[in-house]
Amino acid sequence: MFTNIDDSMQNKLKIINDPVHGFIKIPHEILFDIVEHPYFQRLRRIGQTGLLNLIFPGATHTRFHHALGAMHLMFTALETLKQKGVKISEEEEKGAMLAILMHDIGHGPFSHALESMLMDDWHHENLSLLLMNKLNEEFDGHLSMAIEMFQGKYHRKFFNQLISSQLDVDRLDYLKRDSFFTGVSEGNINTQRIISMMNVCEEGELVIDAKGIYSIENFLTARMFMYWQVYYHKTSALAEFLLVKILERAKYLISQGIELPATENLKYFLYREKSAATDEDVERFTQLDDNDVIQAMKEWQNSDDFVLSYWCKCVIQRNLPKTIISSHPFEEKVIDEKVKNINEFFGIDNGKELVHEIKRKLLPYDREKQPIYLLQKNGKRIKLHESEDQLLSGLMMNKTTRYILMFPRDI
């Protein structure tokens, strides 16, 4: 809900009531203009967590929610740094808040995985940058600094790190928000405590005051639990995988000359040949949201193609395939046996289309890629995992892999 700060004059300085962070301020008019833009409003129709609500019914929040929350945390972080003597101009504040507000503006329907299906391996960050550049033209170049920060090219490095690093405000918001809406308390982090410990060292990089080490370790632990308990939950991984296979199958059938009902914008991408993104691609993409895919799956349940129909029924009717999870890849003979049983049960000869091994891996803390630094009282900085006070960081530098075998539960 938007509330005017001052109803006596028409301004764009608003307050938003957010269920996670409470009241969120929009302190600059250009932020409001971006929020009101159709590109950003589309995020109301893009779920933050894909089909996660099939497992956690409360997880129905959107990318719109998340972007506003990340913007709020950016504002809070900048205010904290100012109080610690870091000089930040109003233009830099606007730039950083704009960059994080728009960081997901290029997200497609449902999940990261669908990006490659619809736009030929275009990661959502590439699409976000493309849309930011288009918006920058509309706003007479006022987004240039934000784009520079988003790309990690701004000369004051801590701005880039607040937008994208192992401890950025994007992660701080989605962990707390997803924990709230899923009800998984293990992911609930103290964002205010973490932000209050943020600082900038002499090198101009983002650091954490040494006394905040345990808040950071708690953050890393919470993120690890959220990945294995929520994002990489076997049914969550399965549902995301099914979405990809559904669109992959639909594109294959269309390439074989089979007509499939779909909204005009989704149909455009299903028929689209691989090529560099055109202006029409971008325009069509900004009209696409979760509703297009849901509507298509509802229609495709009745498809004459057994595989497409089966998968769509799995999702729409929430009659999902059976899954087995393992820390090792499944043996070929196990998979072959499943395929044989499927062919016999359904009377088909392409049962291998319904058996898949899904792989998920996680490195909770990467000590090589933008490590988190602690600022000691003597002014020197030290890597988190090298601190004598660390308890858990050293245990989170090993990659863990899980394998999930999916197959129809009918067999």
Side-chain angles (χ1 to χ4, degrees), residues 74 95-96 98-100 102-104 122 124-134 136 143-165 370:
M74 176 64 80
L98 283 165
I100 200 65
M102 296 186 292
H103 79 284
D104 273 351
W122 272 67
H124 75 271
E125 289 183 356
N126 294 328
L127 289 164
S128 290
L129 181 59
L130 196 152
L131 293 181
M132 282 184 198
N133 283 320
K134 288 179 73 71
N136 199 26
L143 307 182
S144 297
M145 186 182 291
I147 292 171
E148 195 176 349
M149 290 177 178
F150 176 78
Q151 292 180 288
K153 296 179 179 179
Y154 193 62
H155 68 279
R156 303 183 75 188
K157 193 172 180 180
F158 72 90
F159 282 106
N160 309 327
Q161 292 171 305
L162 283 169
I163 293 162
S164 179
S165 67
Q370 290 191 328

Side-chain angles (χ1 to χ4, degrees), residues 82-125:
K82 286 179 191 175
Q83 290 169 8
K84 294 185 178 183
V86 180
K87 300 296 182 185
I88 296 172
S89 70
E90 184 175 317
E91 287 307 306
E92 286 176 324
E93 179 179 290
K94 284 183 189 176
M97 293 183 72
L98 283 165
I100 200 65
L101 182 68
M102 296 186 292
H103 79 284
D104 273 351
I105 206 166
H107 248 291
F110 285 109
S111 66
H112 294 268
L114 291 190
E115 293 160 7
S116 59
M117 290 303 306
L118 297 172
M119 288 288 277
D120 303 333
D121 300 321
W122 272 67
H123 191 272
H124 75 271
E125 289 183 356

Side-chain angles (χ1 to χ4, degrees), residues 296-312:
M297 288 191 292
K298 287 168 67 178
E299 298 266 9
W300 296 345
Q301 289 180 100
N302 304 314
S303 171
D304 292 333
D305 180 72
F306 179 81
V307 174
L308 181 63
S309 172
Y310 176 78
W311 279 335
C312 289

Side-chain angles (χ1 to χ4, degrees), residues 46-51 63 104 106-125 127 231-232 236-249 251 266 270 274 285 288 290 293 358-360:
I46 303 287
Q48 170 71 10
T49 51
L51 288 173
R63 294 275 165 192
D104 273 351
H107 248 291
F110 285 109
S111 66
H112 294 268
L114 291 190
E115 293 160 7
S116 59
M117 290 303 306
L118 297 172
M119 288 288 277
D120 303 333
D121 300 321
W122 272 67
H123 191 272
H124 75 271
E125 289 183 356
L127 289 164
Y231 311 128
Y232 288 174
S236 172
L238 166 64
E240 181 179 295
F241 186 80
L242 282 177
L243 279 175
V244 176
K245 300 307 289 184
I246 286 169
L247 285 189
E248 193 178 83
R249 187 71 180 178
K251 290 190 84 166
L266 180 57
L270 293 175
K274 284 201 170 191
F285 187 82
L288 203 62
D290 291 2
V293 179
I358 306 167
K359 182 179 178 181
R360 289 290 182 268

Side-chain angles (χ1 to χ4, degrees), residues 371-410:
I372 297 171
Y373 282 94
L374 301 175
L375 184 64
Q376 299 176 303
K377 286 185 177 180
N378 60 10
K380 293 183 178 180
R381 58 178 191 157
I382 184 173
K383 291 181 179 178
L384 173 66
H385 61 277
E386 294 175 351
S387 171
E388 292 181 354
D389 294 324
Q390 69 87 16
L391 297 175
L392 302 170
S393 306
L395 302 174
M396 290 188 281
M397 295 186 294
N398 298 317
K399 188 175 291 184
T400 308
T401 306
R402 294 286 182 270
Y403 299 87
I404 303 165
L405 184 66
M406 60 160 276
F407 53 91
R409 60 177 58 249
D410 309 73

Side-chain angles (χ1 to χ4, degrees), residues 302-355:
N302 304 314
S303 171
D304 292 333
D305 180 72
F306 179 81
V307 174
L308 181 63
S309 172
Y310 176 78
W311 279 335
C312 289
K313 286 176 182 175
C314 285
V315 174
I316 296 299
Q317 299 175 21
R318 205 202 176 279
N319 184 20
L320 298 168
K322 191 174 178 59
T323 54
I324 303 173
I325 191 165
S326 170
S327 56
H328 303 285
F330 290 88
E331 295 181 8
E332 199 65 40
K333 64 180 182 180
V334 173
I335 296 174
D336 290 342
E337 180 67 21
K338 298 294 183 190
V339 172
K340 178 175 175 290
N341 292 340
I342 290 168
N343 284 335
E344 290 176 357
F345 184 86
F346 290 111
I348 58 177
D349 59 6
N350 59 344
K352 68 178 186 297
E353 298 285 353
L354 300 179
V355 182

